[in-house]
Amino acid sequence: MFNKFMLEVGREGSVIRELNDFGRQRAKLLGKDSVFDFSIGDPSVPAPSKVQKTLVALAEYPDSVSIHGYTSAQGLGEAREAISRGIQKRFDFSMPPELIYLTCGASAALAISINALCESGDEFILCAPYFTEYPVYVKAAGGVPISVPFAQNFDIDLDSLEAAITPRTKAVIVNSPNNPSGKIYSEALLKKLSSLLMKKGEQLGLQIYIISDEPYRELAYDGATVPYIPAYYENTIVCYSYSKTLSLPGERIGYVAVSPKAHLCEELFYAIQGAGRALGYVCAPAIFQRIVAKCEDETPDLAAYAENRELMYDGLISAGFDCVPPEGAFYLFIKAPDGDSKGLSLRARELGLLIVPGDDFAAAGYCRVAYCVDKDRILRSLPLFKQLRESY
Amino acid sequence: MFNKFMLEVGREGSVIRELNDFGRQRAKLLGKDSVFDFSIGDPSVPAPSKVQKTLVALAEYPDSVSIHGYTSAQGLGEAREAISRGIQKRFDFSMPPELIYLTCGASAALAISINALCESGDEFILCAPYFTEYPVYVKAAGGVPISVPFAQNFDIDLDSLEAAITPRTKAVIVNSPNNPSGKIYSEALLKKLSSLLMKKGEQLGLQIYIISDEPYRELAYDGATVPYIPAYYENTIVCYSYSKTLSLPGERIGYVAVSPKAHLCEELFYAIQGAGRALGYVCAPAIFQRIVAKCEDETPDLAAYAENRELMYDGLISAGFDCVPPEGAFYLFIKAPDGDSKGLSLRARELGLLIVPGDDFAAAGYCRVAYCVDKDRILRSLPLFKQLRESY
C-alpha cells in the first residue's frame, strides 16, 4: 500500500520521543520540578548575541523581498565565502566556496551526501557508537549500513573496520566529537584510519570516502583540539551544522563541503546538488544563510557547557557510575551497572531522570546523558543519580 | 562511482538557471535596465506587514533557546492548529492538526509524500503542463512518472488520464492554480476526475491518491474560486507552501496534510513521517513555524499581481501573442508563433526578455512568463515583446 520502509521508520517510536512523552506526563502529574530531561541534544545556551542582533536587523530590513527570496540551490555566495574563510582560519585548510553546498542542517547534509554516493547495495561503514539516524539514511538511499564495534574508550576499532571493508564499501561515516560518547578521535587515530582506507582502496581498486559528521566540532573542552579530517584524508565530505555552535537547532542550517582533494570532487559536487534537488531541498532557509554569512566565526558559551560537564561527570563518578570522561560535544555515556541499558533508563525515569539507552546508538550497556541543560537542574539531579546507582 | 541519477540531475543545467546566468552577464555588459527577468516565480510583493512584525518580535524575544530549539518532527501544535482552523474557515473542511506535518516548503512536501507512497515501479500520473521537478521526485523515489497531455485551455484531459491508469498507478499529481499555465481546474472537472479515479480504483482494486500541490491556492483573480480538492476526493494528500502567500520563498515553510477521509489515513501519515525522517528533514524552520501559527490567515497583495496580470496579458495580446487568460498563480503561458518554444525563448533573450520554454513543463510550443515583477518592468518590457512578435 505505502512504502514499507518509510512506514516502518515512521511508526517506530523513537526512544527519545517516548521518553519525552513520559516526561511530559510526569510533569503534568507531579510538577515540572519532578522531571530532569537529559534525553535531547538541544543547546541550553542562547544563540550568541551577534546572531540575535543580526537576526533582528534582518527581520527589520525594509526590503523583505530581497531578504526572503529564493537563493540559489547551492546557497548565497557570501555565506559560502564566510564558511571557506572560517575553515581556512581555523584549520589552515583551503575549502573553496564552489564546493560548499548549504543545507537544512547536518541531517539534510548527511542524507544528501549518502544519496549522492550510494548506488543500490553499496555499503556504508558506521563506527559505533553512532547517531541513531545514520542507518535510516543509508537504507533509504538503497545502501547497506555496516556497523563496526568500538575499541576501548569509544575509539574506532581499526581492526574491525578493516575486516568490514569489502568491494562494495562506499564510505565510512565518522563523527568526532562523538554523539553519544563525547569522544574526540585523536590525530594519531585519524592518520591510521587514513592509511588504512588508502591501503584498502588501492588493494580493492576502490575510492572509499569519509563522510565527516561535525555538528559538535566547536564543542571541545580542556583545550582539546578537534583534528580536521580533510587535512588527513583526501576523499572527505564534511557535513556541518550550526545547530549547536550558534544554538539554532530548530532553524535548520548547515552545509556539505567536498574536499577539493577528493577524487572527482567536481563530479561528486554535481551528485550532491542532484541529491539535494531530488530529495526536495530547494535552498537552505535564506535568513539563516545570511546569519551564517555574518556570524560564521561566532562561538557558543563553551564555559557553561564545560562547567556542566564537570559537575555532571564528577557527580556521576562520585555516585559510583562508570564513565569515560568526555572530551567534546555535550554528552556523557555511562555504563549500566548490570549491563542492561534499557533497564537503567527505565529505573532512571522512575526517579524523573530521562536518559537514553545506548542500544540505538549501537552501544548496548550504556546510557547517554545530555548535559546541555541548566546548571541548576544538574545540581538538583545529582542526589537522584546517587539514588539510582544505589538501587543496584 | 556516484549515484548515476543524482549526478545526472545535478549536472543537467536547469533552463531557468541558464537563463539567469545569461541575464546576469547581460546586466553586467549592458546595465541592469537591459534585462527583464520573467523566468522565476519569486514573489515581487513584500511579506504581509503582520509577518514582518511577528518576525521582528520573535527575533527580539529574549529567550532565544525556546524560540530556536528543535520542534517535534511533525511541527508545533500551535502552527498545525492554526492551519487546521484556516482550512475550516476557508473551505469548510475539517483537516485535523494530527494529520498535518510541517515541511521545508512544498517541494519537501511533494518529495516526502511521493516517497511515503511509492514502492519501486509505482506509477505517478502527471497532468501536463506541470512543474519541472515532479518527474525528478518520482524517479528519485523509485517510481515511474507518466505524463498525460493537456486538453483545451490547459485543462486535464480526462480521457488520456483514464487511458494512463494501470494496476501500478499510485497517485495523480494535480496542481491548481497551475504552474505554468495559470489555469484553475473547475469544480465540474474535479468532480469528473474524482468519479473517474473512484471508478478505476474499484475496477482495478486500487487505492489511487491525489497529491494536490497547492502553493498558488490563494492567488486567484477576478473573483475566481479555487475548489478545495479534499472536498471532492477522499484519498487526497495536500502539499502546501507559504512561499507565495506570505512571500517567504527562500525560508522554506509549508506542510503536508493527509485528508482524514483518505484510506488508512493514519498509516499513511506514519509513512509521511517516516519519509520526512529518512530524507533528512528534522523539522521545518522553527521561527517560520511560529510565523505560520500567528499569520496563517494573512494574504498577499493580490491587487498588485492582478494589475500585473492585466497589463501583461493585454500587452502580449495586443503585441499579437496567443495566450489563454490565466485565472490564478502569477504565470502567463504564451504560444510560440512557429511552435518552437526554445526558439522563442532564445529570440526573447536577445532582446533582454527572459522567458522559460515550456518543454520542461511537458508543454513544448509554449513559453512561461512570470509576471511577479515590478509593474514598471512590465510596462517597459511591452515594446520589446511587440518587437519580439514582429520578428516572426
Side-chain angles (χ1 to χ4, degrees), chain A residues 68 133 170 251 277, chain B residues 1 68 133 170 251 277:
Chain A
H68 301 300
E133 302 302 270
K170 185 52 78 70
E251 309 299 3
R277 180 180 167 195
Chain B
M1 197 54 224
H68 301 301
E133 301 303 89
K170 185 52 78 68
E251 309 298 3
R277 181 180 166 195

Side-chain angles (χ1 to χ4, degrees), chain A residues 168-180:
Chain A
R168 291 308 305 268
T169 302
K170 185 52 78 70
V172 181
I173 305 184
V174 174
N175 172 221
S176 171
N178 184 267
N179 170 15

Side-chain angles (χ1 to χ4, degrees), chain A residues 87-164:
Chain A
I87 293 170
Q88 183 74 56
K89 199 172 144 194
R90 261 175 245 151
F91 308 112
D92 195 23
F93 187 90
S94 171
M95 188 72 87
E98 295 73 33
L99 292 177
I100 294 172
Y101 177 91
L102 285 158
T103 61
C104 296
S107 292
L110 287 163
I112 288 169
S113 300
I114 291 167
N115 275 277
L117 288 174
C118 185
E119 287 284 358
S120 176
D122 279 352
E123 293 169 358
F124 288 72
I125 294 177
L126 315 179
C127 308
Y130 52 77
F131 182 42
T132 54
E133 302 302 270
Y134 293 165
V136 175
Y137 302 151
V138 170
K139 285 182 199 162
V144 182
I146 306 289
S147 184
V148 164
F150 50 87
Q152 225 189 345
N153 292 346
F154 306 115
D155 244 325
I156 296 179
D157 181 348
L158 292 174
D159 292 336
S160 300
L161 194 147
E162 177 162 10

Side-chain angles (χ1 to χ4, degrees), chain A residues 44-294:
Chain A
S44 54
V45 308
S49 69
K50 186 173 172 191
V51 168
Q52 298 190 50
K53 276 181 204 150
T54 308
L55 186 60
V56 172
L58 289 167
E60 282 174 342
Y61 192 74
D63 182 5
S64 124
V65 167
S66 75
I67 290 291
H68 301 300
Y70 290 113
T71 73
S72 76
Q74 191 182 355
L76 292 171
E78 62 208 73
R80 292 184 285 110
E81 279 152 24
I83 292 165
S84 176
R85 277 196 308 273
I87 293 170
Q88 183 74 56
K89 199 172 144 194
R90 261 175 245 151
F91 308 112
D92 195 23
F93 187 90
S94 171
M95 188 72 87
E98 295 73 33
L99 292 177
I100 294 172
Y101 177 91
L102 285 158
T103 61
C104 296
S107 292
L110 287 163
I112 288 169
S113 300
I114 291 167
N115 275 277
L117 288 174
C118 185
E119 287 284 358
S120 176
D122 279 352
E123 293 169 358
F124 288 72
I125 294 177
L126 315 179
C127 308
Y130 52 77
F131 182 42
T132 54
E133 302 302 270
Y134 293 165
V136 175
Y137 302 151
V138 170
K139 285 182 199 162
V144 182
I146 306 289
S147 184
V148 164
F150 50 87
Q152 225 189 345
N153 292 346
F154 306 115
D155 244 325
I156 296 179
D157 181 348
L158 292 174
D159 292 336
S160 300
L161 194 147
E162 177 162 10
I165 295 172
T166 78
R168 291 308 305 268
T169 302
K170 185 52 78 70
V172 181
I173 305 184
V174 174
N175 172 221
S176 171
N178 184 267
N179 170 15
S181 73
K183 180 79 194 169
I184 295 173
Y185 300 137
S186 70
E187 185 175 37
L189 179 91
L190 292 174
K191 281 184 174 166
K192 280 187 211 155
L193 172 65
S194 171
S195 306
L196 170 62
L197 296 183
M198 284 195 280
K199 181 188 82 181
K200 293 297 288 186
E202 229 162 89
Q203 272 176 14
L204 296 166
L206 278 182
Q207 297 290 338
I208 303 175
Y209 288 83
I210 286 182
I211 297 177
S212 177
D213 179 25
E214 311 185 347
Y216 303 101
R217 197 178 64 199
E218 270 65 55
L219 306 187
Y221 308 106
D222 286 345
T225 58
V226 180
Y228 193 56
I229 295 182
Y232 300 91
Y233 188 68
E234 298 195 340
N235 282 344
T236 296
I237 302 170
V238 172
C239 295
Y240 188 78
S241 166
Y242 292 96
S243 292
K244 321 294 174 179
T245 322
L246 302 185
S247 289
L248 298 171
E251 309 299 3
R252 316 311 305 139
I253 184 79
Y255 64 80
V256 179
V258 173
S259 169
K261 297 179 183 169
H263 182 66
L264 297 179
C265 62
E266 280 161 30
E267 198 148 332
L268 173 54
F269 195 75
Y270 278 126
I272 299 269
Q273 291 180 290
R277 180 180 167 195
L279 301 187
Y281 291 99
V282 170
C283 63
I287 204 167
F288 293 101
Q289 292 191 41
R290 292 177 208 281
I291 295 275
V292 167
K294 296 212 190 298

Side-chain angles (χ1 to χ4, degrees), chain B residues 11-277:
Chain B
R11 231 193 216 143
E12 110 195 339
S14 133
V15 185
I16 298 179
R17 209 184 314 149
E18 216 177 282
L19 270 174
N20 278 305
D21 288 347
F22 176 89
R24 224 164 323 182
Q25 280 176 345
R26 186 179 165 102
K28 246 189 208 164
L29 226 65
L30 303 176
K32 245 183 142 179
D33 281 351
S34 72
V35 182
F36 299 85
D37 190 350
F38 302 108
S39 71
I40 191 165
D42 209 343
S44 54
V45 307
S49 70
K50 186 174 172 190
V51 168
Q52 299 190 51
K53 276 181 204 149
T54 308
L55 186 60
V56 172
L58 288 167
E60 282 174 342
Y61 191 74
D63 181 5
S64 125
V65 167
S66 76
I67 289 292
H68 301 301
Y70 290 113
T71 72
S72 76
Q74 191 182 356
L76 291 172
E78 62 209 74
R80 292 183 286 110
E81 279 152 24
I83 293 165
S84 176
R85 276 196 307 275
I87 293 171
Q88 183 74 55
K89 199 171 143 195
R90 261 175 246 152
F91 308 111
D92 194 23
F93 187 90
S94 170
M95 188 73 86
E98 296 72 33
L99 293 178
I100 294 171
Y101 177 90
L102 287 158
T103 61
C104 295
S107 292
L110 286 163
I112 288 169
S113 300
I114 292 166
N115 275 277
L117 287 174
C118 185
E119 287 284 357
S120 175
D122 280 352
E123 293 169 358
F124 287 73
I125 294 178
L126 315 179
C127 309
Y130 52 76
F131 181 43
T132 53
E133 301 303 89
Y134 294 165
V136 176
Y137 302 151
V138 170
K139 285 182 200 163
V144 182
I146 306 288
S147 184
V148 164
F150 50 87
Q152 224 190 345
N153 292 347
F154 306 115
D155 244 324
I156 296 179
D157 182 348
L158 292 174
D159 291 337
S160 300
L161 194 148
E162 178 162 10
I165 295 173
T166 78
R168 291 309 304 268
T169 301
K170 185 52 78 68
V172 181
I173 305 184
V174 173
N175 172 221
S176 171
N178 184 267
N179 171 15
S181 73
K183 179 78 194 170
I184 296 174
Y185 299 137
S186 70
E187 185 175 37
L189 178 91
L190 293 174
K191 280 183 174 167
K192 279 186 210 156
L193 172 64
S194 171
S195 304
L196 170 63
L197 296 183
M198 284 196 279
K199 182 188 83 181
K200 293 297 289 185
E202 229 163 86
Q203 272 174 16
L204 297 166
L206 277 183
Q207 297 289 338
I208 303 173
Y209 288 82
I210 287 182
I211 297 177
S212 178
D213 178 25
E214 310 186 346
Y216 303 101
R217 198 178 62 201
E218 269 66 55
L219 305 186
Y221 309 105
D222 285 345
T225 58
V226 181
Y228 193 56
I229 295 182
Y232 299 92
Y233 188 67
E234 297 194 340
N235 283 344
T236 296
I237 302 170
V238 172
C239 294
Y240 188 78
S241 165
Y242 293 96
S243 292
K244 321 295 173 177
T245 322
L246 303 185
S247 289
L248 298 171
E251 309 298 3
R252 315 313 303 140
I253 184 79
Y255 64 80
V256 179
V258 173
S259 168
K261 295 179 182 168
H263 183 65
L264 297 179
C265 61
E266 281 162 31
E267 199 148 330
L268 172 54
F269 195 75
Y270 277 127
I272 299 269
Q273 291 180 289
R277 181 180 166 195

